[in-house]
């Protein structure tokens, strides 16, 4: 079983690096300066306990990979890039290749299933970061994170068990779950705070806004009759040991990191936007998530730093639009 990590940023880079360290066959697919740095110098994987340089094979596009029997593709890009990535993958990989979606949100699996029959969801709880080309960080050790996996749209099989076993080899908690999408919907509720971090800043300043976004999300999931399993944070606290890396604590989640890297986009349309979509379909007002998605997209597009809007200012803008 070879793992082809398509999108080797924070999450994909850490998973690929840990699998490679555990002796698994891994190929990364990365873009631009990140690909060049990995090709020329190796992938630097930093954790609270060590910094290692891993000479992992890297490609710039799926057509450079040369797919074989038993390959597992792990998608790690943000959802706004998934449709294009799946099209590129479909032009290069056999239709029976296994595709796993180690991504936030609930849209990636649907996009992958349009082109591939064997699709698996991965519910990712992984405190990772990627701010410089060729370097990724994981802020928990010795267990790097939790990567539960299941077949999409439901069930488990031999492949799900084999993938979970490989994740465990790499130092992750991993359980095959037939209801993995229930867990991903539960994770979606937590990820609604990503845009709040972008708009109001990480930490205490964004928590009130994130709680309001989550309340809208709960109302929408209930109205839509969507089953979900919320993350038991006490379990993760028992498993993960989150500490600084190189004397630096992790600053914000994946969307804040997108602003720090000035990528020009965030995945708010597929996190907060998923709740807005459900609200419009089922008659549930979602003014907080709607404005969060709008502001986060605007700030990313204009390459502004995170945290420019005070919570009071944001809530006043929500009230003015209602």
């Amino acid at each position: 079983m070879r793992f082809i990590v398509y999108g080797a940023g924070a999450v994909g880079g850490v998973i690929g690096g840990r699998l490679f360290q555990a002796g698994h066959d891994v190929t990364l697919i990365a873009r631009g300066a990140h690909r060049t740095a990995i090709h020329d110098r190796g992938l630097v994987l930093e954790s609270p306990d060590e910094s290692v340089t891993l000479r992992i094979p890297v490609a710039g596009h799926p057509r450079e990979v040369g797919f074989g029997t038993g390959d597992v593709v792990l998608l790690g890009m943000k959802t706004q890039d998934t449709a294009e990535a799946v099209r590129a993958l479909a032009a290069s990989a056999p239709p029976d290749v296994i595709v796993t979606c180690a991504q936030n949100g609930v849209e990636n699996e649907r996009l992958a299933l349009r082109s591939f029959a064997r699709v698996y969801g991965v519910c990712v709880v992984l405190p990772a970061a990627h701010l410089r080309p060729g370097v990724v960080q994981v802020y928990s050790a010795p267990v790097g994170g939790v990567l539960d996996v299941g077949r999409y749209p439901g069930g488990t099989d031999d492949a799900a068990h084999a993938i979970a076993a490989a994740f465990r080899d790499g130092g992750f908690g991993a359980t095959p779950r037939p209801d993995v999408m229930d867990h991903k919907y539960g994770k979606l509720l937590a990820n609604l705070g990503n845009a709040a971090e972008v708009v109001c800043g990480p930490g205490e300043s964004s928590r009130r806004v994130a709680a309001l976004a989550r309340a809208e999300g709960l109302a929408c999931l209930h109205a839509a009759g969507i089953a979900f399993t919320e993350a038991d944070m006490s379990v993760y606290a028992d498993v993960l040991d989150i500490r600084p890396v190189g004397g630096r604590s992790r600053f914000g989640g994946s969307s804040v990191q997108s602003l720090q890297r000035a990528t020009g986009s965030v995945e708010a349309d597929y996190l907060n936007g998923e709740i807005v979509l459900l609200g419009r379909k089922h008659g549930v007002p979602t003014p907080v998530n709607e404005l969060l998605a709008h502001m986060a997209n605007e700030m990313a597009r204009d390459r502004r730093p995170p945290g420019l809007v005070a919570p009071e200012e944001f809530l006043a803008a929500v009230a003015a639009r209602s």
Side-chain angles (χ1 to χ4, degrees), residues 5-181:
V5 180
Y6 191 1
V11 169
V14 168
I15 296 174
R18 287 298 194 217
L19 290 173
F20 185 79
Q21 279 186 301
H24 286 276
D25 190 358
V26 177
T27 297
L28 306 178
I29 301 177
R31 299 182 299 182
H34 190 45
R35 178 207 176 269
T36 299
I38 296 170
H39 178 270
D40 291 349
R41 299 185 295 276
L43 177 71
V44 178
L45 173 57
E46 300 176 339
S47 80
D49 294 336
E50 63 178 356
S51 176
V52 295
T53 300
L54 306 171
R55 299 297 303 194
I56 308 177
V58 62
H61 192 278
R63 63 174 169 263
E64 302 171 18
V65 168
F67 289 87
T69 303
D71 284 345
V72 175
V73 177
L74 189 145
L75 300 182
M77 70 287 299
K78 300 292 192 300
T79 311
Q80 65 267 26
D81 299 320
T82 296
E84 179 182 350
V86 168
R87 284 193 293 270
L89 188 62
S92 306
D96 62 345
V97 73
I98 291 173
V99 177
T100 61
C101 300
Q103 300 156 288
N104 288 330
V106 294
E107 182 66 13
N108 299 286
E109 290 80 5
R110 292 184 70 248
L111 291 168
L113 197 64
R114 295 176 185 274
S115 298
F116 298 96
R118 304 176 71 189
V119 175
Y120 296 75
V122 181
C123 187
V124 177
V125 180
L126 176 53
H130 163 54
L131 298 175
R132 292 179 288 140
V135 182
V136 295
Q137 293 93 19
V138 56
Y139 285 81
S140 176
V143 178
V146 178
L147 304 171
D148 292 341
V149 59
R151 185 91 184 234
Y152 181 79
T156 60
D157 55 16
D158 290 346
H161 283 269
I163 293 166
F167 288 158
R168 291 193 295 271
D169 290 344
F172 302 102
T175 301
R177 295 195 182 276
D179 58 348
V180 70
M181 294 310 296

Side-chain angles (χ1 to χ4, degrees), residues 212-278:
L212 293 171
R214 179 183 174 280
E216 290 181 358
L218 278 169
C220 287
L221 294 183
H222 286 306
I226 295 174
F228 63 94
T229 301
E230 291 198 74
D232 184 345
M233 298 313 296
S234 65
V235 173
Y236 294 131
D238 290 340
V239 172
L240 304 183
D241 182 14
I242 297 176
R243 290 176 278 139
V245 173
R248 302 182 305 276
S249 297
R250 185 170 180 253
F251 180 76
S254 58
S255 294
V256 166
Q257 293 173 36
S258 292
L259 263 69
Q260 291 175 305
R261 296 201 314 276
T263 62
S265 68
V266 289
E267 56 187 340
D269 284 342
Y270 297 96
L271 301 176
N272 308 84
E274 182 71 26
I275 298 306
V276 173
L277 174 62
L278 290 174

